[in-house]
Amino acid sequence: VGEQALLKCSFRSSSPITESLLVDWTYRPLAGGPMETIFHYRSVPHPTTAGRFKDRIIWVGNVANGDASIAIQSPELSDNGTFICHVKNPPDV
C-alpha cells in the first residue's frame, strides 16, 4: 500500500515484433465480478481513462525485449484482485 506496484509480464514470440503487437491488461476484483480492461498497448501505451485505475497505470515495458510490464501508482488494499496480461504478436498468438 502506498508504494508503486510493479506487475511483471514477459513474453516470447517466434515472429518479429511489429507495430501489430497488442498488449491488454485486464483486472477482476478479489470479490469477483466482470473482468475490466485497465491497459492497452498498440505501438504506444493507452492507460485506462475511467474506473479505479484511471491516471494510476504507467507503462514500464519494452516490447523489443519481450517485456509488457506495467506499474500501478498509489496502490490500495481495495485494488487486490486478479491481473492478466495478454500479448498478441500476429501471426504469432
Side-chain angles (χ1 to χ4, degrees), residues 4 6-7 9 11 21-25 38-47 56-73 85-87:
Q4 181 173 290
L6 177 63
L7 301 179
C9 175
F11 66 92
L21 180 128
L22 295 171
V23 177
D24 280 310
W25 276 91
I38 60 168
F39 184 87
H40 178 76
Y41 177 96
R42 182 172 188 155
S43 299
V44 295
H46 299 281
R56 294 199 296 139
I57 295 183
I58 301 168
W59 172 250
V60 294
N62 181 338
V63 293
N65 294 335
D67 184 357
S69 302
I70 60 172
I72 300 175
Q73 293 182 303
C85 171
H86 188 79
V87 179

Side-chain angles (χ1 to χ4, degrees), residues 68-85:
S69 302
I70 60 172
I72 300 175
Q73 293 182 303
S74 305
E76 302 166 5
L77 231 52
S78 60
D79 293 334
N80 205 352
T82 302
F83 294 84
I84 298 173
C85 171

